[in-house]
């Protein structure tokens, strides 16, 4: 005779089994496209066309990767993306933290208007600003240069908003001792407050790196020279079939994989710090 305790145990095992089955099915749905991407990058072009959804190449080859690095401008695209991403990330961390501290701590006329404008800018779609950006860059003589690619991305309204809220969560009494010792406003910001905002800074670093690495629309309106092409523009141009005949599935997916690696490494290295940043912001 089956006891109530055994029935509950059986029901619990059945529920857990169904839950795991659903989770495994969802994991396969999410992971399978990446497996296809990796496998296709290691296929020959005819194999990729004949078996586009097969996760196992019939003949494993690294021809697509060799063609990217030896017979294309891919190294130039990669170098440009690295230069722009590093400059934008470093500059944005500095400027948004400086602006966030000013809005959080300094008292000046029109501060409320500035903050309202900041919030308003966050609600404007990025695509709406493309033409004004082009006009400003062109008028200032920065079109088709690294300056035109980097300077408009150095400040981000969302980053200023994040830093302002984090600085406001730090007690003002922390700064009083430094002011009594004679430290000026910038010294207090740089030596006292900024080190305490490390969790928020890590968040800004990750968001800035990911955003500038994946940026496409801004680079389209700010440059036209091939030597200033970034990875996003270059990979998009591969769709035109400029490197060889055929569908070029292995070539395109190999480029996409290489483009994904830096962002994936950044995310896996700092994923714990992302969660710590959120917890720290709430506690403070």
């Amino acid at each position: 005779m089956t006891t109530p305790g055994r029935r509950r145990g059986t029901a619990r095992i059945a529920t857990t089994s169904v839950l795991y089955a659903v989770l495994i099915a969802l994991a396969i749905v999410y992971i399978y496209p990446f497996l296809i991407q990796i496998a296709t990058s290691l296929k020959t072009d005819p194999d990729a066309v004949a078996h586009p959804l097969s996760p196992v190449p019939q003949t494993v080859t690294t021809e697509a990767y060799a063609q990217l690095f030896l017979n294309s401008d891919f190294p130039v695209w990669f170098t440009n993306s690295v230069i722009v991403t590093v400059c934008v990330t470093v500059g944005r961390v500095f400027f948004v933290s400086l602006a966030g501290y000013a809005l959080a701590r300094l008292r000046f006329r029109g501060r409320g208007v500035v903050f309202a404008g900041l919030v308003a800018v966050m609600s404007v779609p990025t695509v709406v600003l493309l033409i004004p950006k082009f006009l400003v860059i062109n008028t200032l003589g920065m079109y088709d240069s690294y300056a035109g690619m980097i300077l408009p991305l150095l400040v981000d309204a969302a980053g200023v908003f994040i830093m302002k809220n984090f600085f406001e969560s730090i007690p003002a009494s922390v700064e009083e001792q430094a002011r009594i010792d004679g430290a000026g406003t910038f010294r207090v910001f740089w030596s006292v407050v900024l080190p305490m905002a490390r969790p928020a800074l890590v968040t800004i670093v990750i968001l800035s790196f990911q955003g500038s690495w994946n940026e496409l629309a801004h680079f389209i309106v700010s440059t036209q020279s091939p030597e200033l092409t970034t990875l996003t523009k270059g990979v998009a141009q591969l769709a035109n079939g400029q490197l060889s005949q055929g569908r070029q599935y292995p070539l395109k997916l190999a480029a996409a994989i290489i483009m994904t690696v830096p962002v994936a490494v950044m995310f896996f290295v700092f994923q714990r710090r992302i969660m710590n940043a959120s917890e720290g912001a709430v506690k403070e």
Side-chain angles (χ1 to χ4, degrees):
M1 182 176 178
T2 304
T3 62
R6 180 172 295 180
R7 283 199 297 271
R8 283 195 296 271
T10 303
R12 189 180 302 114
I13 292 174
T15 303
T16 304
S17 300
V18 172
L19 179 61
Y20 274 107
V22 172
L23 292 177
I24 292 173
L26 291 175
I28 292 174
V29 169
Y30 279 99
I31 293 174
Y32 193 71
F34 293 103
L35 296 178
I36 295 296
Q37 184 180 19
I38 296 173
T40 303
S41 70
L42 298 174
K43 295 178 181 178
T44 61
D45 202 45
D47 185 19
V49 174
H51 309 94
L53 298 181
S54 173
V56 180
Q58 290 187 341
T59 302
V60 177
T61 176
T62 58
E63 182 181 352
Y65 292 93
Q67 188 174 2
L68 277 176
F69 283 99
L70 300 178
N71 300 322
S72 74
D73 294 328
F74 194 85
V76 176
W77 305 343
F78 191 90
T79 302
N80 287 333
S81 285
V82 170
I83 293 173
V84 172
T85 300
V86 171
C87 292
V88 169
T89 301
V90 174
R92 187 178 294 183
V93 168
F94 177 72
F95 286 117
V96 301
S97 59
L98 204 61
Y101 181 75
L103 288 174
R105 285 291 192 261
L106 303 185
R107 298 292 180 266
F108 55 91
R109 182 176 298 178
R111 189 180 67 152
V113 176
V114 173
F115 182 68
L118 179 76
V119 176
V121 169
M122 292 173 61
S123 64
V124 178
T126 305
V127 67
V128 176
L129 302 176
L130 288 180
I131 300 303
K133 274 186 178 181
F134 167 76
L135 295 176
V136 172
I137 291 171
N138 194 38
T139 302
L140 295 179
M142 296 189 299
Y143 181 72
D144 207 25
S145 67
Y146 280 116
M149 298 168 70
I150 294 172
L151 291 181
L153 300 179
L154 287 182
V155 178
D156 174 62
V160 177
F161 185 80
I162 292 172
M163 295 306 299
K164 174 185 179 296
N165 287 341
F166 196 90
F167 285 135
E168 286 180 341
S169 69
I170 299 175
S173 58
V174 174
E175 306 171 37
E176 292 177 357
Q177 187 62 44
R179 295 188 186 280
I180 292 174
D181 292 341
T185 301
F186 185 79
R187 181 65 180 275
V188 171
F189 159 75
W190 186 259
S191 302
V192 178
V193 180
L194 195 60
M196 299 178 65
R198 190 176 302 168
L201 293 177
V202 171
T203 302
I204 297 299
V205 167
I206 295 171
L207 295 178
S208 300
F209 184 92
Q210 184 179 26
S212 54
W213 184 264
N214 294 328
E215 179 63 48
L216 174 60
H218 171 67
F219 298 143
I220 291 177
V221 300
S222 62
T223 62
Q224 64 174 358
S225 300
E227 56 268 23
L228 293 177
T229 301
T230 59
L231 268 180
T232 48
K233 282 184 66 176
V235 172
Q237 291 171 4
L238 291 178
N240 298 328
Q242 59 175 320
L243 296 181
S244 65
Q245 300 298 318
R247 302 289 180 87
Q248 303 181 8
Y249 290 149
L251 198 66
K252 297 170 185 174
L253 293 183
I257 288 175
I258 297 173
M259 188 176 167
T260 305
V261 169
V263 177
V265 170
M266 173 70 76
F267 177 78
F268 284 117
V269 169
F270 290 104
Q271 60 173 335
R272 181 173 297 179
R273 292 184 179 274
I274 294 175
M275 291 182 284
N276 288 342
S278 301
E279 292 172 359
V282 174
K283 287 177 182 177
E284 292 292 340

